[in-house]
Amino acid sequence: MNKRSYKLESQEIKKVMVLMTVLIAAYSVLSVVCAFAESRSTSGLALTLRMILILISALGIICTGIFMVRRFYGILFTDEGLIKFSYPVRNSEHLKDNVRLAVMWLGLQILVFIACLGISEAVGKESVPIGPVGSYTGLVNLYKNNWMGEYMSAPGAKALAAFVIMAAAFAVIAVNIYISFIFTLTASNRICGKYNILQKNGVILIAGIAMFNIHLLVSWLLTRVEIMFNMGFLFTDKGFTVFGPDGAFVRDIEGPLVYILIYGVTAVIMYRISKNILDRKLDI
Amino acid sequence: MSKLLECKGLSHAYGKKRALDDISFSVESGKIVGLFGPNGSGKTTLIKMIAGMIHDENGAVNICGNPVGEKSKSVVSYSPDRMAYSAGKKVTDLLDMYELMYEDFDRKSAEEKLCDFGIEISDYVGKLSKGNAEKLQVILTMSRKAKLFLLDEPFNGLDPVARENVIRIMIGCVPEDSSLIISTHQIGEIEQMLDEAIFIKDGGIVFHRSVDEIRSETGKSLSETYMEEYR
């Protein structure tokens, strides 16, 4: 990253920092309260607080996404773009910064949320300190209780690997959804700018249609791949004997791996097209 | 003198309407150029293309030998035809932003000029009057040591005294080897400071000549020539 791009990014980081700090502080406080309620065996209250924690974090993640998309919308479709695109950086730097920051902030929020959930699960049930160890123990308990896997009888490398792969799949899907918003905004700027149809008000319509089609395509691709797997390409009809005792582990991770591949590739394609439009076909 | 700006074969359309049609011209270093034409003639589109806001796949814009991009934007200072700063920002935020993004920005000079115009740096942009907002934009643009200044309608909403002050800033702030392209309808007020004039009509250049040549050949002022051309 060159000096000017670094300056651009540091400027953007400052702008979103306040919102992110407030959101992360909110779920951290809630999770501590939840853990406290759990330790006092007021399980009804703990359950309610945990639901609130999940709701607030979901809302926080959605708000962050909307906030970051709105920032990108501002530079493409409002007069703000006249100043931003005159900065001495490549046009696509604005895209790179926006996506990088969005992924960073969303990723941080998701990690904090998962950690808080783990803490609230662990404290009160076992004598573990609040912190990374407690959080991991809590998360493994959550996983054991909610996603039954034969290899999950005790935490270990496979459990951690499965958890990380599933978390990565979730992260890749979230990034894909975010990039598809950015892609449709960029494509709309190109279409609306060039053909003067619908103007800015048509962006939402185009964005909605494009997003729907992108996810329809990805879902279709996923279905094809899953059918291929389930038709015995890798597994026998007796049920996963090819991999022996690891069959359950492979079964659990093959879906997320497929998601990572397909959502990852489509995200990269959309990002590259957006970059090309900004660098070579901008119309402000 | 070397060519600071070269435009070749620039075209652009908004839907079916042709905004620019195969425009080519060049500007040498150290020139102050007026860009004139009626509303919708393509002045803003041309300035946006030079500033890098609009790309033409077939034409070419070179500034100091570089195509429009990161390098050219570091030597071009652009003021759009409308207030482009967020209303929620303070003047000091904009000064910080310019200082951060442009190495050639002279913050001290900008603050002095703002003070001369009675604009406080703690003021919110949204609370400034239309005229003061325009002055702010021009001051920020002209407080850089750029090679090429692009001012699109810088006198919008300014009273005659403010226009005179802004003109004085423009003349005083343009380095000797830099060039300024200004698009405006107030031809009479800037005529004396211009070296060259470009007249645009329906997306094409009608003529691009030295102001002294126009006056000596026609015996008329630039305003009169404009009226004759576009009546």
Side-chain angles (χ1 to χ4, degrees):
Chain A
M1 194 196 299
N2 65 28
K3 200 171 152 192
R4 288 196 195 103
S5 307
Y6 171 74
K7 285 178 183 175
L8 181 68
E9 187 166 14
S10 63
Q11 203 197 18
E12 291 297 308
I13 287 174
K14 279 183 205 166
K15 291 202 170 76
V16 299
M17 203 178 278
V18 171
L19 173 68
M20 298 309 125
T21 308
V22 166
L23 286 171
I24 290 170
Y27 355 117
S28 304
V29 164
L30 255 180
S31 67
V32 169
V33 171
C34 186
F36 180 73
E38 189 85 40
S39 67
R40 293 290 170 122
S41 301
T42 51
S43 53
L45 175 64
L47 190 63
T48 306
L49 285 170
R50 196 172 301 151
M51 289 309 296
I52 294 173
L53 172 67
I54 292 170
L55 275 169
I56 286 184
S57 62
L59 205 61
I61 290 165
I62 291 169
C63 284
T64 305
I66 290 173
F67 181 78
M68 295 304 295
V69 169
R70 176 61 186 86
R71 288 192 63 75
F72 193 73
Y73 172 88
I75 66 166
L76 271 188
F77 289 100
T78 69
D79 292 338
E80 195 184 335
L82 295 171
I83 299 298
K84 289 275 169 78
F85 281 112
S86 65
Y87 287 166
V89 294
R90 289 187 71 160
N91 291 342
S92 55
E93 280 299 322
H94 298 282
L95 167 73
K96 207 192 292 184
D97 278 349
N98 184 278
V99 170
R100 192 156 50 204
L101 284 174
V103 166
M104 188 179 92
W105 288 118
L106 287 169
L108 185 61
Q109 284 195 37
I110 291 167
L111 279 174
V112 169
F113 164 64
I114 291 173
C116 291
L117 208 58
I119 289 169
S120 65
E121 173 71 21
V123 175
K125 288 226 172 98
E126 300 181 27
S127 302
V128 289
I130 290 178
V133 173
S135 182
Y136 174 65
T137 309
L139 288 169
V140 170
N141 287 341
L142 255 181
Y143 189 81
K144 272 161 63 178
N145 295 335
N146 294 293
W147 295 289
M148 302 300 292
E150 290 140 27
Y151 56 94
M152 292 294 281
S153 55
K158 280 198 207 120
L160 186 60
F163 182 78
V164 167
I165 289 169
M166 285 188 201
F170 176 60
V172 168
I173 291 170
V175 168
N176 181 293
I177 290 173
Y178 183 78
I179 290 181
S180 60
F181 272 110
I182 299 297
F183 168 70
T184 49
L185 283 177
T186 320
S188 301
N189 172 264
R190 173 71 182 146
I191 295 166
C192 291
K194 188 174 172 58
Y195 297 109
N196 201 25
I197 53 170
L198 301 178
Q199 301 288 328
K200 293 179 225 173
N201 296 324
V203 168
I204 293 170
L205 177 64
I206 292 170
I209 293 169
M211 289 253 333
F212 178 76
N213 284 320
I214 287 166
H215 290 286
L216 205 60
L217 173 66
V218 174
S219 301
W220 179 82
L221 281 169
L222 277 168
T223 315
R224 298 280 82 83
V225 171
E226 295 244 334
I227 288 173
M228 187 175 76
F229 271 93
N230 291 329
M231 277 171 72
F233 182 66
L234 283 180
F235 303 108
T236 70
D237 58 2
K238 293 290 177 198
F240 321 120
T241 60
V242 175
F243 294 96
D246 287 334
F249 171 68
V250 173
R251 181 197 61 208
D252 274 353
I253 67 167
E254 59 92 0
L257 284 174
V258 166
Y259 273 68
I260 287 170
L261 177 67
I262 293 180
Y263 273 94
V265 166
T266 50
V268 168
I269 291 171
M270 288 191 286
Y271 181 85
R272 297 290 300 194
I273 294 173
S274 302
K275 186 171 180 292
N276 188 47
I277 290 174
L278 285 177
D279 279 338
R280 297 180 200 198
K281 300 180 198 301
L282 183 70
D283 192 341
I284 298 291
Chain B
M1 281 187 190
S2 57
K3 283 186 184 160
L4 179 70
L5 168 69
E6 274 190 275
C7 298
K8 285 182 188 162
L10 297 182
S11 299
H12 191 70
Y14 294 106
K16 288 181 185 170
K17 179 171 165 40
R18 207 121 189 93
L20 291 179
D21 193 4
D22 196 26
I23 283 197
S24 298
F25 71 97
S26 61
V27 173
E28 288 172 354
S29 306
K31 298 289 184 189
I32 298 180
V33 181
L35 184 61
F36 306 112
N39 297 329
S41 55
K43 304 187 298 297
T44 294
T45 305
L46 177 58
I47 288 183
K48 277 184 177 177
M49 281 190 135
I50 298 169
M53 303 292 131
I54 298 173
H55 279 258
D56 177 21
E57 284 157 20
N58 302 314
V61 176
N62 282 302
I63 298 160
C64 297
N66 295 309
V68 171
E70 194 178 336
K71 280 188 183 159
S72 73
K73 288 181 187 177
S74 66
V75 299
V76 171
S77 191
Y78 167 59
S79 172
D81 62 339
R82 64 200 100 136
M83 191 55 191
Y85 303 118
S86 169
K89 283 195 165 45
K90 287 187 181 179
V91 172
T92 188
D93 294 332
L94 300 183
L95 289 167
D96 291 340
M97 185 185 77
Y98 267 72
E99 200 174 24
L100 184 69
M101 295 310 299
Y102 301 109
E103 285 165 5
D104 57 10
F105 181 66
D106 186 346
R107 185 180 180 129
K108 194 165 166 238
S109 166
E111 284 178 353
E112 281 169 9
K113 291 187 191 81
L114 287 169
C115 186
D116 290 342
F117 278 112
I119 299 172
E120 297 286 338
I121 62 168
S122 57
D123 286 342
Y124 280 95
V125 171
K127 299 280 186 206
L128 295 175
S129 66
K130 189 169 190 294
N132 275 351
E134 288 291 340
K135 285 179 212 168
L136 168 67
Q137 190 154 286
V138 171
I139 287 168
L140 288 171
T141 305
M142 298 307 300
S143 295
R144 284 183 56 197
K145 300 276 184 278
K147 290 284 184 201
L148 177 65
F149 293 88
L150 301 170
L151 301 180
D152 195 355
E153 305 280 0
F155 303 129
N156 279 341
L158 297 186
D159 59 73
V161 172
R163 285 204 293 265
E164 198 179 274
N165 287 331
V166 167
I167 289 169
R168 214 178 316 121
I169 289 172
M170 282 179 345
I171 296 170
C173 285
V174 179
E176 226 173 85
D177 60 342
S178 298
S179 295
L180 163 70
I181 298 178
I182 173 169
S183 157
T184 181
H185 294 297
Q186 268 83 28
I187 303 173
E189 296 192 34
I190 64 161
E191 185 169 343
Q192 297 309 317
M193 68 182 256
L194 296 179
D195 297 309
E196 295 173 9
I198 300 176
F199 279 28
I200 287 190
K201 190 176 181 179
D202 297 329
I205 291 183
V206 176
F207 62 76
H208 173 197
R209 294 166 75 183
S210 141
V211 171
D212 289 337
E213 261 178 40
I214 294 170
R215 280 199 218 110
S216 64
E217 279 177 24
T218 62
K220 293 177 182 152
S221 69
L222 206 54
S223 309
E224 287 165 342
T225 309
Y226 178 92
M227 292 300 286
E228 212 173 85
E229 187 62 47
Y230 293 104
R231 207 183 294 271

